[in-house]
Amino acid sequence: MNTSRWNDLGKFLKAGKGHVANVSTAPGRELVAEDIGPSRRDVDQREERLFRALDDDNDDAVLARDLKGTLRDIGLLEDDQRLCESMAAITSALNPNPKTEEENRRINKSSFCLAIRHNILLIERALQGRMVVPDFAGFEQRMAGIFDRVRAENSGVPADYIPQLNVQGEEADRFGVALCTTDGQRASFGDARKFFTVQSTSKPITYALAVEEHGSRYVHEFVGHEPSGVGFNELTLNRDNQPHNPMINAGAIMTASLVGLTDKRRLIGGGEAQGGGLRGWSGRRFDHVLDRWKALCGNQEPRFSTSVFLSERETADRNFALAYFMRENGAFPDDVDMHDVLEFYLQCCSIEVNAEMMSVIAATFANGGICPVTGERVLQTDTVRNCLSLMSGCGMYDFSGEFAFTIGLPAKSGVSGAMMVVIPNVMGFCVWSPRLDALGNSVRGVAFCRELVRKFNFHNYDDLTGSSRRMNPRLNPIQVRAREVNEMIWAASKGDLGAIQDQLGRGAALNFGDYDLRTPLHLAAAENQSHVVRYFVDQAAAAGGNGNLSPRDRWGGTPLDDAYQHDNQAIVAILEKAGAERGKARSAVDVADCGGLTPASFESSKVDELIWAASLGDLIAIRRLVAQGVPLDLADYDRRTAIHLAAAEGHVDVVRYCIAHHVSCNPTDRWGNTPLDDAIRHDHQDVAELLRGHGGRARSARSPGG
Ligand code: GLU
């Protein structure tokens, strides 16, 4: 999570020393390289594994375009600061050949390994699919869909209290969305690079800076935590004569008054104020604020709009009224200069960023105060927790309660149409679109959030039981499918009734078929697990029918066929008594004689993931598994393998990848089928040709599967 850690590791590895783990030294002894294991060889293997995963043709070269494209699909952009050393190394490693475009140039293994070594932890995690949003490309695509739908919403009007915000025409219709995950995966849409003034989205940040400076206790001696229940700029204080919370104008003026106060007190206390010691203080304070904004944005420079600041100052009657009212009620610390604070508050509102930058700020909040793209801790965890709590209850003007109810996410909006939304521990969003609703929130910003929580289980209180039907982008969809379907089949094949009941209790369905439409009942029948078959039959009877006792698999076989084929008499009797039907008879071979690796040394879930990925033709997912070190020839409960399924579904690129990665062309499944049998059966001639060209054989003259 930390750039400097990555870079340090990169330098350490570059020096040929090893991988930082399991560090232990005798007391009183300095840490030396040898203490840091595993060995250099282990690191080499890891680098090589990543290279192999991307070297589709196994021809000892990866195209620069493919490496960058793979990282981009994961959400790691080329300008990612954490990758700059690796990116530079890749560029310099490319063999300069004027005939070849840089993107198409080949990187050989040693250059590849040298390049990724700089940022190995991040690159390894990315290529292995271990980022917070594993299927980032799919997520990005869905976000693009939401963006397009929300763009059609063009009601509302830009703020009109100063000319700079009262934009018209094309400017009023601007729409930018950006997101950044806690792993620094980024995507943006539309006008995400157009700068806008942050306005009230500065409030959580000003509050955070005050808390960082003074601690939460002190800050809340001057400002409350409650939603005000009245308008955001209402002339009212709470029972203790404090502004209600830091997200409304009075509260933000108050927190602004605390920023930089320690420095001021030091100057005054030290007697430096006399003789012009305070000169330069307010400038330093604003520099400090800009510096923190820059750190929150991942080292990108915020700007400042002088014209907005000047206009704000001319029209700030209400803010002046609030400040006078607070001063009259003794709300400010004694040493605060109210006029100075008002200027400073308006300066903070006039800072400019773009949606991409603000999404990184939101991601820093989502990430507990550590900026995901630099690894710098910008805010303390507790400060962030405070901010998010206040944003949850008070961040959306007079819509805050309804927003908390319907959207359920901490957010802050501003009159420029900016909106910052945090999904804690997952990602941050920024939506910017100047048209506002009657309550002062960006119309598209709110619409976007509605779509977001309609599609994904992002609402704070969503999915507490795990049964939400909304998508969970924190999970890998292939993993989800493998878990939903195959776990029960493995349990049935092993006779593990407890595991089956556990999964049914969690809402799993009995009759889900896998990539070959094989079901738990097929496998229980094939593997002679009569107690499981009996349980399924009882369940079907309790559900009032026997319809689900005869599901057909890819070859038309039913569980009763499996029982016959394996001569499992007791099961034949149970199933026939229950009215189960036969389908297409097949002869089975002894499973023990089949090829393919059993998953003994690998979690069965990896086998399932691999084979699903092959059946779906998802080469990205397959590369990820290879990057994790998963062998490509793992076999499932029917001894089916990735190359079988890729052949059956006609995914020639996956078959080619398997062959290039030394997978045998002739593993046989439970019925003695080879991948070529699958290809012939489904008439995938290109796959069949490829397999034949690499020594693939079909079963004897018998018809495949028959
Ligand atoms: N500059 C504005 C004010 O204080 C900020 C308004 C807002 O975004 O809510 O009046």
Side-chain angles (χ1 to χ4, degrees):
M1 293 301 280
N2 181 309
T3 324
S4 56
R5 222 167 65 210
W6 276 317
N7 290 344
D8 290 351
L9 181 71
K11 281 173 200 123
F12 187 75
L13 293 173
K14 206 153 85 185
K17 288 172 179 162
H19 163 59
V20 181
N22 308 328
V23 178
S24 69
T25 59
R29 190 163 71 75
E30 286 253 318
L31 186 73
V32 293
E34 285 64 37
D35 294 318
I36 300 177
S39 66
R40 174 73 250 170
R41 219 177 70 216
D42 172 70
V43 179
D44 287 345
Q45 276 169 0
R46 287 164 55 201
E47 290 164 0
E48 186 167 337
R49 197 187 286 154
L50 300 182
F51 179 75
R52 290 284 160 232
L54 296 187
D55 181 10
D56 288 4
D57 307 321
N58 206 4
D59 61 353
D60 268 320
V62 167
L63 292 184
R65 181 188 50 204
D66 289 347
L67 173 59
K68 290 179 183 172
T70 303
L71 292 172
R72 202 178 310 119
D73 285 345
I74 296 161
L76 300 184
L77 306 185
E78 222 173 293
D79 65 354
D80 193 310
Q81 294 164 49
R82 298 167 299 173
L83 292 177
C84 58
E85 287 159 313
S86 285
M87 287 297 174
I90 288 167
T91 308
S92 68
L94 294 172
N95 182 15
N97 172 358
K99 289 202 199 93
T100 320
E101 290 223 14
E102 187 185 300
E103 290 283 282
N104 292 325
R105 290 202 199 132
R106 294 154 61 90
I107 314 171
N108 65 22
K109 188 173 95 186
S110 60
S111 305
F112 178 93
C113 293
L114 269 175
I116 66 167
R117 193 166 297 169
H118 296 284
N119 310 109
I120 178 80
L121 294 185
L122 175 62
I123 294 179
E124 185 174 52
R125 228 150 62 77
L127 295 182
Q128 292 182 342
R130 293 188 287 116
M131 307 298 263
V132 64
V133 176
D135 178 22
F136 192 79
F139 180 70
E140 190 177 350
Q141 212 171 21
R142 290 186 187 93
M143 295 311 304
I146 294 183
F147 179 83
D148 285 339
R149 275 199 297 286
V150 171
R151 186 199 278 285
E153 173 60 76
N154 58 4
S155 62
V157 284
D160 59 4
Y161 69 94
I162 56 173
Q164 286 74 10
L165 294 179
N166 190 12
V167 287
Q168 305 293 329
E170 202 188 325
E171 291 302 311
D173 284 324
R174 294 248 174 245
F175 182 28
V177 171
L179 67 97
C180 174
T181 72
T182 51
D183 276 324
Q185 298 162 281
R186 287 180 292 157
S188 57
F189 311 89
D191 300 313
R193 293 200 169 168
K194 282 257 166 210
F195 278 73
F196 50 82
T197 51
V198 297
Q199 297 293 349
S200 274
T201 57
S202 62
K203 287 175 174 142
I205 291 153
T206 305
Y207 167 70
L209 297 186
V211 171
E212 292 277 301
E213 186 176 331
H214 301 281
S216 161
R217 257 207 26 224
Y218 183 77
V219 171
H220 285 286
E221 283 176 23
F222 299 96
V223 60
H225 329 75
E226 291 289 337
S228 65
V230 292
F232 73 98
N233 60 1
E234 201 75 24
L235 206 56
T236 166
L237 298 175
N238 70 15
R239 258 180 307 177
D240 300 324
N241 277 341
Q242 298 167 338
H244 288 84
N245 68 68
M247 300 298 130
I248 56 172
N249 281 19
I253 294 169
M254 181 56 73
T255 54
S257 80
L258 302 177
V259 173
L261 201 54
T262 313
D263 193 23
K264 180 176 173 184
R265 284 174 182 164
R266 187 180 55 78
L267 294 173
I268 294 172
E272 293 168 47
Q274 289 82 32
L278 268 187
R279 197 177 303 140
W281 167 73
S282 58
R284 266 208 311 279
R285 174 181 56 182
F286 195 61
D287 278 345
H288 163 68
V289 169
L290 285 180
D291 175 70
R292 294 296 75 201
W293 273 81
K294 179 177 169 187
L296 285 163
C297 290
N299 245 341
Q300 299 179 75
E301 298 280 354
R303 299 181 187 168
F304 179 76
S305 170
T306 309
S307 60
V308 167
F309 168 69
L310 293 172
S311 301
E312 291 278 358
R313 198 166 56 174
E314 279 163 16
T315 54
D317 295 347
R318 175 53 64 108
N319 290 323
F320 272 89
L322 287 170
Y324 275 109
F325 186 54
M326 287 196 284
R327 192 169 73 173
E328 182 194 11
N329 282 281
F332 288 111
D334 293 341
D335 43 0
V336 160
D337 171 347
M338 190 199 78
H339 289 99
D340 160 73
V341 165
L342 276 167
E343 294 238 327
F344 176 54
Y345 163 78
L346 295 174
Q347 284 160 12
C348 292
C349 291
S350 308
I351 291 172
E352 286 188 321
V353 295
N354 60 34
E356 288 186 352
M357 292 162 78
M358 189 169 271
S359 74
V360 178
I361 301 180
T364 305
F365 277 90
N367 199 29
I370 296 178
C371 177
V373 300
T374 59
E376 182 190 347
R377 173 168 289 289
V378 188
L379 298 171
Q380 298 305 308
T381 319
D382 286 353
T383 306
V384 171
R385 197 180 69 166
N386 281 5
C387 279
L388 294 181
S389 300
L390 290 165
M391 286 162 71
S392 296
C394 324
M396 296 293 291
Y397 302 118
D398 305 345
F399 188 63
S400 297
E402 193 166 337
F403 192 85
F405 181 78
T406 51
I407 312 292
L409 289 171
K412 185 73 199 86
S413 62
V415 284
S416 53
M419 195 165 152
M420 170 164 106
V421 188
V422 180
I423 300 159
N425 304 311
V426 184
M427 66 180 75
F429 276 94
C430 172
V431 186
W432 170 63
S433 180
R435 291 185 186 279
L436 308 180
D437 61 22
L439 297 174
N441 293 307
S442 163
V443 171
R444 284 177 176 152
V446 173
F448 188 88
C449 290
R450 282 192 204 282
E451 287 282 309
L452 199 63
V453 296
R454 198 171 61 80
K455 186 123 197 141
F456 301 105
N457 67 346
F458 283 160
H459 187 297
N460 217 350
Y461 301 112
D462 207 342
D463 205 22
L464 293 183
T465 62
S467 59
S468 167
R469 284 288 137 216
R470 284 178 275 273
M471 295 184 67
N472 186 354
R474 308 159 186 90
L475 301 178
N476 167 345
I478 291 189
Q479 237 167 28
V480 172
R481 189 178 309 199
R483 202 172 303 148
E484 270 175 7
V485 176
N486 302 64
E487 243 178 56
M488 178 101 83
I489 305 185
W490 280 106
S493 77
K494 291 177 188 148
D496 188 346
L497 197 50
I500 293 171
Q501 287 167 331
D502 184 45
Q503 285 172 51
L504 288 175
R506 282 187 278 130
L510 252 184
N511 247 3
F512 272 158
D514 69 6
Y515 30 73
D516 283 323
L517 301 178
R518 301 279 288 163
T519 67
L521 189 52
H522 280 105
L523 267 294
E527 297 296 331
N528 204 16
Q529 308 293 356
S530 54
H531 61 299
V532 175
V533 173
R534 189 177 299 283
Y535 178 76
F536 285 166
V537 167
D538 290 348
Q539 291 287 312
N546 62 9
N548 57 2
L549 293 179
S550 311
R552 313 257 159 168
D553 63 22
R554 176 188 293 278
W555 303 270
T558 63
L560 187 53
D561 295 318
D562 275 280
Y564 269 110
Q565 284 155 16
H566 293 279
D567 201 21
N568 297 334
Q569 295 297 336
I571 293 178
V572 167
I574 299 169
L575 285 173
E576 287 192 335
K577 185 156 169 253
E581 293 161 12
R582 291 209 64 170
K584 194 157 178 267
R586 288 163 300 174
S587 57
V589 297
D590 189 343
V591 177
D593 295 339
C594 297
L597 286 178
T598 60
S601 59
F602 256 89
E603 295 165 63
S604 57
S605 64
K606 290 292 164 207
V607 184
D608 307 332
E609 243 182 278
L610 173 65
I611 303 183
W612 271 112
S615 80
L616 297 167
D618 189 340
L619 200 50
I620 296 179
I622 293 177
R623 289 195 196 104
R624 257 185 223 152
L625 289 161
V626 172
Q628 290 171 29
V630 174
L632 284 172
D633 46 6
L634 293 174
D636 75 2
Y637 30 73
D638 284 322
R639 299 300 185 269
R640 300 280 286 164
T641 65
I643 192 168
H644 277 109
L645 268 295
E649 301 297 339
H651 300 305
V652 68
D653 52 340
V654 176
V655 174
R656 188 174 301 117
Y657 185 92
C658 288
I659 294 172
H661 286 76
H662 308 300
V663 170
S664 154
C665 284
N666 294 303
T668 48
D669 65 16
R670 179 187 290 280
W671 304 276
N673 292 317
T674 64
L676 184 53
D677 291 314
D678 274 282
I680 293 169
R681 172 170 227 281
H682 292 281
D683 201 21
H684 297 305
Q685 293 178 15
D686 48 350
V687 174
E689 208 170 297
L690 179 65
L691 286 164
R692 284 199 189 95
H694 289 84
R697 291 185 301 273
R699 264 153 53 116
S700 53
R702 276 181 295 144
S703 66

